[in-house]
Amino acid sequence: MTATASRPDTGARTPLPLDVEAIRADFPILSRTVRDGKRLVYLDSGATSQKPRQVLDAERWFYENVNAAPHRGAHQLAEEATGAYEEARAKIGAFIGAPENEIVFTRNTTEAINLVAYAMSNAATAKEPEFRTYAVGQGDEIVVTEMEHHADLVPWQQLCERTGATLRWLGLTDDGRLDLSDLATVVNERTKLVAVTQQSNILGTINPLGEIIARAHEVGALVLVDGAQSVPHQPVDVTELGADFLVFSGHKMLGPTGVGVLWGRYEVLDKLPPFLTGGSMIEVVRMEGSTFMPPPQRFEAGVPMTAQVIGLAAAVDYLQALGMDKVEAHEKALTAYALDKLAEIPGVTVIGPPDTVARGGAISFTVEGVHPHDVGQVLDDHGIAVRVGHHCAWPVVRRYGVPATSRATFYVHTGYDDIDALADGIRAAQKFFGTV
Amino acid sequence: MQLESMYQEIILDHYKNPHGRGLREPFEAEVHHVNPTCGDEVTLRIHVEGDTIADVSYEGMGCSISQASISAMYDLVVGKTVPQALGTGEHFMTLMQAKGDPSVAEKLEDELEDAVAFAGVSKYPARIKCALMSWMALKDASARALSTTGGQS
Ligand SMILES: Cc1ncc(COP(=O)(O)O)c(C=O)c1O
């Protein structure tokens, strides 16, 4: 997998769509230094993004002015907190083209996926007949892909273990794409749900969801799209997408930690039993048993992460002011440049699609003769933060026969200077370990 | 440049020319340890005669620190009794908890020989596990070997 020469803009620095200097000024953390005074070159937004001042201010505003438990209490603060929380829900819904009653707040992507997986196993024993609609059991199949993050793999393995259903998966091609040649057999009449990522966090691949969703719906299966790496980086509209669930994390899209989103088609959410139970999600409680609220409240037990939701709404404002089209174009230009820069370094191999066609900005690479951990350590010494390891996608590194990779990911504050620093850092690692 | 403080010459030498590498017979116990955060792996075999470690053989993949640590450990423990080797392991653990304090390294120099070069690693919390993986595997393997051979420790 080497970069092709067919790309027209080889090595070119096309003007970037976003004003990187102005954006950097919004991120307080980018003005700190690391490792003895070096500028922080943050190329790990894929793990978690940095936060602009506007998001931090929104959280502080909430705590200093409004703080109360939403949907509880009759005092003014409780009213205002409920209003702010629900307004944020509407705004975050609009960001992905969804009505507010289809937005469920969770802790992160991981919890959103677990919510669906546990609801599907709880369905088997639900006393309400309509809650049994999506029950799975022996003879049923769940389909994932070999490029899923552990968060979109292990909960489905566990669902199958709890229910006796069978897990199947779509494999990968040598150039880092989904192998859809057996789509029609892997997704079949026994399939109850297909879980697939929109952008791979390790390969950068953007998957052809249309084809997969069409096949799944043809056989009556639900589709859950892992949007953890797509919603922060490209425009996503749930109506266009056509899936049944979309999940993503606030902390990867300039928002706070501790808040994630499950979007679900209302008709589907309405037929799912709860995952977590307790306060705020009940309709009537008696000692003998309880009934539950309609979605989204049915899935939000306990006092929610209110300030974080307010912060996430501020992140959505921030991204919308930049324009998601521009964010996407910005990262595409950076990706093209980075792929060229890495291709210029002998011994560097990109694991994933070699060009920018249907590809996002996660670039995993190996450096011949230098273990990814050691690459990461030398880069760190230069102030450059990348992720090293298996990126919570162990089957992927295994598939490509490498023990681990180093991964650079980009965001709105990333500029060409960051990528130049990365290329210089990789060369320094090669020199330090004597491979050149 | 802080890098040299972690990647001492001795460490890089062990990494490039590992001592005792390869899986050998006979052995009483074999263990497989992984570092789940990064995927580093080691398969380690131990051969004891009485309670003396006659051989430690291994295969592994991982970063320079994890691989050099196994090689330095091999030099330190072969020929020692199991309790002596585990005692050395305790000293190595102390070194890894030193947060780069040079006085700790100084005190342990005689006991740890080449392995004292790993002192710089203790300043990087994310890498301590890399250096410790081999020692954890040794502890595990020796416990199993003694329980199968009925050796006393
Ligand atoms: C594609 C993908 N899915 C799921 C997750 C899990 O997200 P979180 O850790 O925020 O739950 C991540 C990132 O960690 C990811 O990149």
Side-chain angles (χ1 to χ4, degrees):
Chain A
M1 282 184 279
T2 51
T4 58
S6 62
R7 203 163 36 248
D9 56 350
T10 295
R13 286 170 168 243
T14 51
L16 287 171
L18 298 177
D19 181 349
V20 168
E21 284 314 315
I23 291 172
R24 282 180 186 168
D26 287 333
F27 289 73
I29 205 169
L30 295 180
S31 62
R32 72 161 279 182
T33 58
V34 291
R35 301 286 179 221
D36 297 334
K38 298 197 188 70
R39 177 175 89 87
L40 170 62
V41 176
Y42 189 74
L43 296 175
D44 200 17
S45 296
T48 198
S49 65
Q50 299 302 348
K51 323 301 177 197
R53 194 172 277 112
Q54 289 83 340
V55 168
L56 309 176
D57 287 348
E59 277 197 81
R60 175 174 282 275
W61 168 84
F62 178 79
Y63 282 126
E64 289 185 346
N65 295 282
V66 191
N67 185 45
H71 294 295
R72 291 175 190 196
H75 53 84
Q76 183 176 346
L77 291 187
E79 234 168 57
E80 289 180 14
T82 306
Y85 181 66
E86 292 305 325
E87 256 171 53
R89 190 197 302 277
K91 184 175 283 175
I92 293 160
F95 183 64
I96 54 163
E100 65 226 45
N101 63 357
E102 298 187 340
I103 300 293
V104 176
F105 292 118
T106 62
R107 191 157 56 92
N108 48 28
T109 301
T110 304
E111 190 180 271
I113 295 171
N114 275 280
L115 189 163
V116 176
Y118 274 94
M120 289 176 79
S121 54
N122 290 347
T125 52
K127 64 177 190 295
E128 304 83 349
E130 72 272 19
F131 283 175
R132 286 186 221 132
T133 311
Y134 297 111
V136 295
Q138 224 135 32
D140 292 334
E141 294 177 0
I142 303 288
V143 174
V144 296
T145 85
E146 204 178 354
M147 71 164 73
E148 297 314 303
H149 187 280
H150 296 165
D152 199 31
L153 168 58
V154 183
W156 304 119
Q157 290 175 337
Q158 290 291 303
L159 171 65
C160 290
E161 284 180 25
R162 287 196 301 278
T163 59
T166 303
L167 188 76
R168 302 191 63 172
W169 56 89
L170 297 162
L172 301 178
T173 65
D174 288 341
D175 61 351
R177 301 204 178 268
L178 284 182
D179 178 2
L180 296 182
S181 58
D182 53 358
L183 177 65
T185 48
V186 174
V187 179
N188 58 55
E189 284 66 27
R190 294 182 297 277
T191 309
K192 289 291 166 193
L193 178 134
V194 178
V196 55
T197 192
Q198 190 163 17
Q199 273 201 28
S200 162
N201 67 309
I202 175 165
L203 300 167
T205 319
I206 297 179
N207 287 323
L209 294 182
E211 196 180 339
I212 298 168
I213 294 170
R215 173 61 187 161
H217 284 169
E218 191 181 11
V219 297
L222 295 171
V223 179
L224 178 140
V225 171
D226 179 349
Q229 298 292 345
S230 59
V231 172
H233 301 287
Q234 66 181 78
V236 176
D237 181 286
V238 294
T239 311
E240 269 170 45
L241 194 63
D244 302 285
F245 302 107
L246 172 73
V247 294
F248 53 98
S249 293
H251 72 91
K252 292 186 198 283
M253 52 187 287
L254 311 181
T257 50
V259 56
V261 174
L262 165 68
W263 166 80
R265 207 181 276 289
Y266 193 86
E267 316 84 83
V268 179
L269 285 180
D270 197 33
K271 295 199 179 76
L272 284 178
F275 161 43
L276 300 173
T277 54
S280 297
M281 52 76 69
I282 45 79
E283 196 177 49
V284 180
V285 177
R286 298 180 207 286
M287 291 314 291
E288 294 73 23
S290 305
T291 56
F292 311 124
M293 296 278 279
Q297 279 73 30
R298 185 188 301 154
F299 305 104
E300 293 183 1
V303 172
M305 56 303 269
T306 323
Q308 288 83 346
V309 167
I310 307 298
L312 179 55
V316 161
D317 280 339
Y318 190 91
L319 287 170
Q320 270 174 335
L322 296 177
M324 287 308 291
D325 288 329
K326 275 197 182 166
V327 171
E328 184 181 34
H330 183 79
E331 290 191 41
K332 194 154 193 134
L334 292 170
T335 305
Y337 184 71
L339 288 172
D340 285 339
K341 278 281 169 190
L342 294 187
E344 280 169 11
I345 308 175
V348 171
T349 306
V350 169
I351 310 290
D355 53 38
T356 59
V357 178
R359 188 195 209 296
I363 301 184
S364 277
F365 59 93
T366 58
V367 181
E368 200 182 338
V370 191
H371 190 275
H373 252 190
D374 296 318
V375 173
Q377 198 76 51
V378 176
L379 293 177
D380 171 65
D381 200 58
H382 287 72
I384 305 162
V386 297
R387 174 130 185 229
V388 299
H390 52 59
H391 316 287
C392 300
W394 216 329
V396 176
V397 291
R398 211 174 279 127
R399 164 68 174 80
Y400 293 108
V402 292
T405 73
S406 307
R407 180 191 73 177
T409 45
F410 313 134
Y411 216 176
V412 294
H413 48 69
T414 311
Y416 289 128
D417 53 347
D418 295 325
I419 291 162
D420 290 338
L422 173 68
D424 291 346
I426 294 171
R427 287 200 164 89
Q430 291 180 313
K431 213 161 166 195
F432 188 83
F433 284 93
T435 64
V436 286
Chain B
M1 187 93 142
Q2 300 227 335
L3 275 183
E4 281 82 4
S5 78
M6 172 150 104
Y7 294 111
Q8 302 274 323
E9 213 44 61
I10 297 173
I11 295 182
L12 294 177
D13 283 349
H14 274 283
Y15 176 49
K16 286 173 190 159
N17 304 297
H19 304 174
R21 193 180 170 87
L23 292 171
R24 290 178 291 277
E25 314 259 350
F27 62 96
E28 288 70 44
E30 177 180 298
V31 296
H32 183 71
H33 278 222
V34 298
N35 181 346
T37 54
C38 57
D40 287 357
E41 298 186 35
V42 63
T43 301
L44 182 142
R45 289 176 178 176
I46 189 169
H47 172 42
V48 288
E49 283 169 1
D51 68 355
T52 298
I53 299 176
D55 191 21
V56 169
S57 65
Y58 63 90
E59 277 297 347
M61 54 179 197
C63 64
S64 56
I65 300 298
S66 71
Q67 298 307 296
S69 174
I70 311 179
S71 171
M73 180 182 84
Y74 169 84
D75 287 351
L76 273 176
V77 302
V78 172
K80 281 191 180 159
T81 65
V82 170
Q84 281 169 338
L86 295 184
T88 306
E90 290 301 319
H91 288 304
F92 191 75
M93 178 74 98
T94 306
L95 184 73
M96 286 301 104
Q97 290 164 346
K99 299 197 168 83
D101 179 352
S103 72
V104 176
E106 241 165 67
K107 273 189 230 125
L108 294 172
E109 208 163 345
D110 291 343
E111 177 77 24
L112 290 178
E113 302 172 26
D114 278 9
V116 86
F118 288 84
V121 175
S122 70
K123 277 187 284 188
Y124 295 87
R127 304 302 295 275
I128 293 173
K129 275 199 206 130
C130 307
L132 283 177
M133 182 170 69
S134 51
W135 290 94
M136 297 298 172
L138 179 75
K139 196 170 170 183
D140 185 11
S142 51
R144 288 183 201 210
L146 293 184
S147 72
T148 54
T149 59
Q152 299 293 308
S153 63

